[in-house]
Amino acid sequence: MDISNKLSRISSDLLGHYHEVAENGNSAAYPNVDQIVNTILLIRKAIFPSYFNEALESKPPEIWLQSLLADIHQSLSREIKTALLKQNDGGKAPRPASEISLKLLEQLVSIQQLLHKDAKAGFEGDPAAKGIDEVILTYPGFFAIFAYRVAHFLFLEDVHFIPRMMSEYAHRVTGIDIHPGAEIGEYFFIDHGTGVVIGETAVIGNHVKLYQGVTLGALSTKSGQKLAGIRRHPTIEDHVTIYSGATILGGETVIGKNSTIGGNVFITKSVPHNTTVKGT
């Protein structure tokens, strides 16, 4: 058998097996990961125009930014439409993708304000930082938070695939895994960050600081899809600091306000307000 015939046979086998095991047999395409990555980087330029745009000074800012927003709207609308068609099993999308995309753009000012608070928390919480601009430009924790805040909006709009594509891109480049479904308050800071995991149903209050290797996770998930939609991850109340390597698990676990969780501890029960937890 020559190579051409062998490749033809392998191709047929692969496609046949794929159609047997694929969960969704409809022909609707999936959103394009590369386009989503490009879009999240364009959104970062729109939110922080003076930090990530070398050509900004060549055009009036209003004209440049309006053109950028138009590009984001067009690209994101296309990908959202694809996601909605896939969700609807290839039928007509239940909502206009253009409206969702425009709604996100309208929220960018609010997201920008949240991110400025996060950057301020990063600067004030790290004596090694030389300024807020250094946090915005270089801190992996800040980039992960930025991607999360954009993805979280689309998650709340019930757009499938795209929020996870955004958050997983940030995970890939920073080592920080924040599920877009998590609820995170103001002035949030992740120092260093590598290995941080924040689960889908985690709730984090205001002025919370995490160090590297922190896990806000679920207890055993061996029941799999039966746990979908159930609170599985902990609540972290305001003004809590969690040091490196700490693991906090369970949907009923609450870390009370003004508490400090030491490094490498394992917590599955609630902690009262104003408590310091240390490893033994």
Side-chain angles (χ1 to χ4, degrees), residues 218-228 232:
L219 292 165
S220 175
T221 57
K222 60 185 179 182
S223 297
Q225 285 295 316
K226 293 179 181 179
L227 298 175
R232 308 180 302 282

Side-chain angles (χ1 to χ4, degrees), residues 126-192:
D126 184 6
K130 305 305 181 186
I132 289 178
D133 51 354
E134 183 177 358
V135 174
I136 294 172
L137 281 166
T138 70
Y139 277 41
F142 183 78
F143 181 80
I145 295 166
F146 151 72
Y148 155 78
R149 295 212 183 275
V150 176
H152 181 64
F153 173 85
L154 293 173
F155 181 89
L156 294 179
E157 288 293 315
D158 195 33
V159 176
H160 293 190
F161 306 113
I162 294 175
R164 287 302 298 267
M165 289 176 177
M166 290 178 170
S167 62
E168 288 304 323
Y169 171 67
H171 182 194
R172 186 165 74 245
V173 299
T174 68
I176 298 167
D177 183 1
I178 308 177
H179 192 286
E183 298 178 25
I184 301 176
E186 300 179 344
Y187 296 97
F188 182 52
F189 178 39
I190 302 175
D191 200 358
H192 304 295

Side-chain angles (χ1 to χ4, degrees), residues 11-185:
S11 175
S12 296
D13 290 345
L14 280 173
L15 286 173
H17 183 66
Y18 171 76
H19 289 305
E20 287 179 10
V21 301
E23 283 190 47
N24 299 309
N26 70 66
S27 60
Y30 290 94
N32 185 291
V33 175
D34 292 337
Q35 287 298 320
I36 298 305
V37 170
N38 183 61
T39 297
I40 197 70
L41 296 177
L42 291 180
I43 291 173
R44 184 173 65 162
K45 287 185 175 184
I47 291 177
F48 301 107
S50 63
Y51 289 100
F52 300 102
N53 296 288
E54 54 284 342
L56 182 61
E57 295 180 359
S58 64
K59 296 181 181 179
E62 294 81 2
I63 294 176
W64 174 87
L65 186 53
Q66 185 172 340
S67 176
L68 177 62
L69 292 173
D71 289 344
I72 294 170
H73 180 255
Q74 182 180 37
S75 176
L76 190 58
S77 295
R78 181 175 59 249
E79 299 306 322
I80 290 174
K81 181 179 180 180
T82 301
L84 294 178
L85 288 172
K86 193 69 177 179
Q87 287 171 232
N88 206 34
D89 200 31
K92 184 178 180 181
R95 294 173 293 160
S98 178
E99 290 184 8
I100 299 173
S101 179
L102 183 59
K103 190 175 178 181
L104 171 60
L105 296 183
E106 290 172 337
Q107 288 297 309
L108 289 187
V109 172
S110 296
I111 293 173
Q112 183 186 62
Q113 291 170 343
L114 278 172
L115 289 168
H116 277 221
K117 293 176 180 178
D118 297 328
K120 184 178 180 181
F123 170 64
E124 293 180 349
D126 184 6
K130 305 305 181 186
I132 289 178
D133 51 354
E134 183 177 358
V135 174
I136 294 172
L137 281 166
T138 70
Y139 277 41
F142 183 78
F143 181 80
I145 295 166
F146 151 72
Y148 155 78
R149 295 212 183 275
V150 176
H152 181 64
F153 173 85
L154 293 173
F155 181 89
L156 294 179
E157 288 293 315
D158 195 33
V159 176
H160 293 190
F161 306 113
I162 294 175
R164 287 302 298 267
M165 289 176 177
M166 290 178 170
S167 62
E168 288 304 323
Y169 171 67
H171 182 194
R172 186 165 74 245
V173 299
T174 68
I176 298 167
D177 183 1
I178 308 177
H179 192 286
E183 298 178 25
I184 301 176

Side-chain angles (χ1 to χ4, degrees), residues 237-253:
E237 295 188 343
D238 298 348
H239 296 279
V240 169
T241 298
I242 305 177
Y243 284 96
S244 58
T247 298
I248 304 172
L249 306 180
E252 296 183 1
T253 303

Side-chain angles (χ1 to χ4, degrees), residues 23 189 203-204 208 277:
E23 283 190 47
F189 178 39
V203 177
I204 298 174
V208 171
V277 178

